[in-house]
Amino acid sequence: MIKFDETHGHLQKSIESYQETVNRIHEQIVNKTGAGNDYLGWQDWPVNYDKEEFERIVALGEKLKDKAEVIVVCGIGGSYLGARAAIEMIQGLYPDNGHEVIFAGNTFSSTYLKQVLNHLKGKSVILNVISKSGTTTETALAFRILREYMEETYGKEECRERIIATTDKARGTLKALADKEGYQTFVIPDDIGGRYSVLTAVGLLPMALAGVDIRTVMAGFLKAYEELGTADLQKNTAYRYAVSRRILQDQGYNVEMFVTYEPQLAMLAEWWKQLLGESEGKEGKGILPDSATFSTDLHSLGQFIQEGNKVLYETVFTVKEPTLDMTVPNDPENSDNMNYLVGKSLDWVNKQAFRGTLEAHEVTGNVPNLIIEVPDMKEYTFGYMCYWFFIATAMTCYMLDINPFNQPGVEVYKKNMFKLLGKPE
Ligand code: PA5
């Protein structure tokens, strides 16, 4: 499913020389004995996911299909990025399926939220609020405002159908509020952290509401679990990627740029940044995850990559088959001098841009390139890819002796902000 090519990576050590380390860490991952093992629930989630809840999600997606003209997903971080990455990757940026998905609760921006509220007027809205803790300020504040809009528009009774909460199974402010108001609730499992939760109700419900085939997503997730259950570096491409990152950092590269050639993958890059950045960036360690969309950013960041400070390597995420394609039309007058491309597909042009850039950056610019190739941007691939990145992240963090599943650093800004806001202790 996923091809990984490190031959342009300028690796000065062989990946295979890490086999013993990988064997040891693989045991820790599958036996759930490593640091942060309380949060390894994602590891066997492809087989152990809550089947009854899954069917409820499928049924709700089906039931609300006609009402979900606009789906507002209210959440932040791991309670938002995965769903957005999935929906954009699978449906593209301008899908023509009668559903519009809007994200809120991920910013304090007054202008943004006010414009969202204006945009909702006159449309049929479903609101899914997602928060594991139930206390995240960005999400709770936006939800209060959105809830007021929903109650004024539809009345409390109809809101029981239109507002859905995804949160802890028993604890927390959001769970209590949802129970009091009679909203449907879905569960974020205790042993799965935010950035590993996209294939729980956190991501599956927004996907189902938006019309994504979540059964196929889970089939891809299961396939990856089966295929990647081996420590063998000849077979496990996710672990090859994890090891390559460690080799490149040892060679002095402290920035990884995740590059795609499809605008609909920009949010996938954001999801990847959270996964790697929040998992690995601790104790003064880690590689800074950055991202770019080519060829767009070749006209901005391209200069730095080609000739600037050699701090980074690129991980290029390529797609074999685009979702849609077209050919370059003929212009008998050739007034724009583009006739040399007549009859070529736009995707072919995009692929030549990739090949030309690879040579420019790797050979001329001396920038290492790792290449991840997926077959397409469809459901099965998305599910497979999630597991691939999860185990790659766990492996690469454990190789650094880092707990991949906590995020103590994010509390610091909150503490300062609460003091300034006058939040009661
Ligand atoms: O990965 C994480 O744990 C975080 O990004 C959280 O998902 C994010 O802070 C939102 O938290 P919550 O779901 O509790 O509102």
Side-chain angles (χ1 to χ4, degrees), residues 82 114 150 192 224 231 242 363 396:
K114 194 85 185 158
M150 295 292 283
I192 301 184
V363 182
T396 206

Side-chain angles (χ1 to χ4, degrees), residues 248-262:
L248 283 168
Q249 192 170 31
D250 287 347
Q251 288 173 212
Y253 294 100
N254 287 310
V255 180
E256 176 174 5
M257 185 167 280
F258 186 86
V259 171
T260 68
Y261 281 77
E262 299 284 349

Side-chain angles (χ1 to χ4, degrees), residues 76-79 130-134 136 139 193-195 274 278 407 414:
I76 194 167
S79 291
I130 308 170
S131 178
K132 185 170 184 178
S133 62
T136 301
T139 304
R195 59 193 174 276
Q274 189 206 5
E278 210 169 43
Q407 54 283 331
K414 292 185 190 168

Side-chain angles (χ1 to χ4, degrees), residues 137-151:
T137 318
E138 288 88 341
T139 304
L141 207 49
F143 182 53
R144 172 182 283 213
I145 292 162
L146 287 162
R147 192 159 52 95
E148 185 187 50
Y149 169 85
M150 295 292 283
E151 284 177 3

Side-chain angles (χ1 to χ4, degrees), residues 153-227:
T153 310
Y154 301 106
K156 269 189 176 278
E157 184 60 37
E158 198 174 334
C159 280
R160 295 202 176 112
E161 190 177 38
R162 287 185 180 267
I163 300 180
I164 309 149
T166 307
T167 187
D168 187 88
K169 67 175 180 307
R171 286 166 303 186
T173 321
L174 180 57
K175 174 68 181 155
L177 190 152
D179 287 347
K180 180 171 147 278
E181 297 295 335
Y183 304 146
Q184 285 206 64
T185 57
F186 289 88
V187 172
I188 308 181
D190 286 341
D191 58 354
I192 301 184
R195 59 193 174 276
Y196 295 82
S197 70
V198 55
L199 297 186
T200 68
V202 169
L204 291 174
L205 181 58
M207 284 187 232
L209 291 169
V212 169
D213 172 7
I214 61 171
R215 284 191 203 284
T216 305
V217 172
M218 291 307 276
F221 195 42
L222 176 64
K223 185 72 176 171
Y225 168 81
E226 288 164 358
E227 286 190 355

Side-chain angles (χ1 to χ4, degrees), residues 22 25-26 29 239 242 390-400:
V22 168
I25 296 174
H26 177 72
I29 295 172
Y239 287 166
F390 289 162
I391 59 158
T393 303
M395 176 58 68
T396 206
C397 291
Y398 280 144
M399 286 180 77
L400 261 193

Side-chain angles (χ1 to χ4, degrees), residues 349-410:
V349 175
N350 207 11
K351 298 274 189 315
Q352 306 323 305
F354 159 59
R355 289 174 60 188
T357 306
L358 176 63
E359 188 172 336
H361 289 183
E362 188 222 331
V363 182
T364 316
N366 201 25
V367 175
N369 269 245
L370 304 174
I371 300 165
I372 297 169
E373 188 198 85
V374 294
D376 53 41
M377 296 182 278
K378 295 184 183 156
E379 279 91 340
Y380 193 84
T381 300
F382 182 82
Y384 192 102
M385 188 204 66
C386 287
Y387 200 81
W388 195 92
F389 277 119
F390 289 162
I391 59 158
T393 303
M395 176 58 68
T396 206
C397 291
Y398 280 144
M399 286 180 77
L400 261 193
D401 220 5
I402 287 285
N403 175 351
F405 309 117
N406 62 2
Q407 54 283 331
V410 297

